[in-house]
């Protein structure tokens, strides 16, 4: 199975900050990488697909980049509603989906 | 609009089985795979397996092989996930998620059920 490793596991930041979360795949997955946001008690929400495509309705302060094995999710200017946990997911092997372990974004 | 509505919370004893349902509406049920993902309290997302509602074909994560069964009833647009030989480590919220894809074939999980808490306790 393809292993997905996120860093950092947790991150403290302030409203207005620019933050970057990294996801690394154990093998090349081209651009088959999705990002989700999850808030406590809620199901995950799709933010970015195909590494850099913004899901409909998601604010433009969210962006994704990368290909091959290394990917990043960037929030350009943190808003209060962005404090949540973020997960990457590979969609290269769709018979064996895998998620990263998550990055918890907390208020500094 | 697409909706996935899951069954309610369950409490089970170790060794028992649990069957969670996921009722779909707002689209043609047989046209999109359903996946199941679980999340233990304070932990990350763990993919369990997929099911093609049209064919009934399934694929399971190796960790759950032999313990999980995914089925469907197309007449009522409902998918099921049954997990057997429950142990305390199976205590988690279980989600169903529907696949979607864009014009280039990139797959995602844009639609999720609300989650079902399964508690395994003696």
């Amino acid at each position: 199975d393809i292993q997905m490793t996120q860093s950092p596991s947790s991150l403290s930041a302030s409203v207005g900050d620019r933050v970057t979360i990294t996801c690394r795949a154990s093998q090349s997955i081209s651009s088959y990488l999705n990002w989700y946001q999850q808030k406590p008690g809620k199901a995950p929400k799709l933010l970015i697909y195909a590494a850099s495509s913004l899901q409909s309705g998601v604010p433009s302060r969210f962006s994704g980049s990368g290909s091959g094995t290394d990917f990043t999710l960037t929030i350009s200017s943190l808003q209060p509603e962005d404090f949540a946990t973020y997960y990457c997911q590979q969609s290269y092997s769709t018979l064996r989906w895998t998620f990263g372990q998550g990055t918890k974004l907390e208020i500094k | 609009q697409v909706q996935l509505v899951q069954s309610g919370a369950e409490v089970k004893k170790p060794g028992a089985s649990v069957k969670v349902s996921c009722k779909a509406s707002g689209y043609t049920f047989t046209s999109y795979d359903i996946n199941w993902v679980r999340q233990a309290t304070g932990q990350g997302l763990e993919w369990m397996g997929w099911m093609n509602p049209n064919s009934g074909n399934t694929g399971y994560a190796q960790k759950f092989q032999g313990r999980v069964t995914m089925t469907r009833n197309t007449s009522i647009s409902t998918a099921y996930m049954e997990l057997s030989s429950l142990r305390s480590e199976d205590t988690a919220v279980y989600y169903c998620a529907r696949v979607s894809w864009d014009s280039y074939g990139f797959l995602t999980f844009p639609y999720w059920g609300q989650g079902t808490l399964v508690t395994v306790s003696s």
Side-chain angles (χ1 to χ4, degrees):
Chain A
D1 292 1
I2 299 172
Q3 305 302 314
M4 308 301 293
T5 303
Q6 289 181 231
S7 61
S9 295
S10 63
L11 174 60
S12 294
S14 301
V15 173
D17 283 354
R18 177 184 180 91
V19 300
T20 297
I21 297 168
T22 297
C23 179
R24 175 165 289 176
S26 60
Q27 67 180 72
S28 177
I29 57 171
S30 184
S31 296
Y32 292 90
L33 192 283
N34 304 323
W35 289 97
Y36 297 83
Q37 175 194 67
Q38 187 182 33
K39 296 182 179 179
K42 299 294 187 181
K45 173 187 174 182
L46 178 65
L47 298 176
I48 301 282
Y49 66 97
S52 61
S53 296
L54 197 65
Q55 174 71 354
S56 176
V58 174
S60 59
R61 62 181 179 273
F62 291 93
S63 64
S65 65
S67 66
T69 60
D70 294 317
F71 303 86
T72 59
L73 172 70
T74 299
I75 310 172
S76 60
S77 178
L78 271 175
Q79 298 301 301
E81 60 269 30
D82 300 337
F83 292 95
T85 301
Y86 294 85
Y87 294 93
C88 62
Q89 176 199 41
Q90 63 82 17
S91 60
Y92 182 84
S93 174
T94 57
L95 298 182
R96 292 285 186 270
W97 296 84
T98 45
F99 291 91
Q101 81 278 16
T103 295
K104 186 173 184 179
L105 179 53
E106 299 175 304
I107 301 174
K108 185 182 286 184
Chain B
Q1 73 283 19
V2 174
Q3 276 197 304
L4 300 172
V5 178
Q6 298 183 220
S7 48
E10 302 261 14
V11 179
K12 296 292 183 181
K13 293 193 181 303
S17 297
V18 68
K19 190 171 186 177
V20 179
S21 68
C22 172
K23 183 170 177 58
S25 62
Y27 72 98
T28 302
F29 176 65
T30 51
S31 295
Y32 300 88
D33 288 0
I34 293 285
N35 285 255
W36 289 87
V37 176
R38 78 176 187 179
Q39 185 172 40
T41 302
Q43 302 301 306
L45 302 171
E46 182 174 32
W47 177 78
M48 299 179 69
W50 61 269
M51 181 193 65
N52 180 309
N54 185 46
S55 63
N57 288 346
T58 56
Y60 304 136
Q62 190 167 4
K63 175 177 180 176
F64 300 102
Q65 288 274 1
R67 279 210 305 144
V68 70
T69 305
M70 296 177 186
T71 58
R72 87 290 191 209
N73 182 332
T74 57
S75 67
I76 56 172
S77 299
T78 300
Y80 302 93
M81 186 284 300
E82 184 170 20
L83 189 63
S84 63
S85 302
L86 289 169
R87 37 213 189 224
S88 58
E89 309 90 88
D90 294 317
T91 295
V93 174
Y94 290 76
Y95 293 101
C96 59
R98 199 208 85 175
V99 161
S100 189
W101 56 85
D102 72 348
S103 56
Y104 297 96
F106 286 97
L107 296 172
T108 59
F109 294 174
Y111 304 107
W112 294 69
Q114 82 276 18
T116 296
L117 175 61
V118 175
T119 302
V120 183
S121 174
S122 54

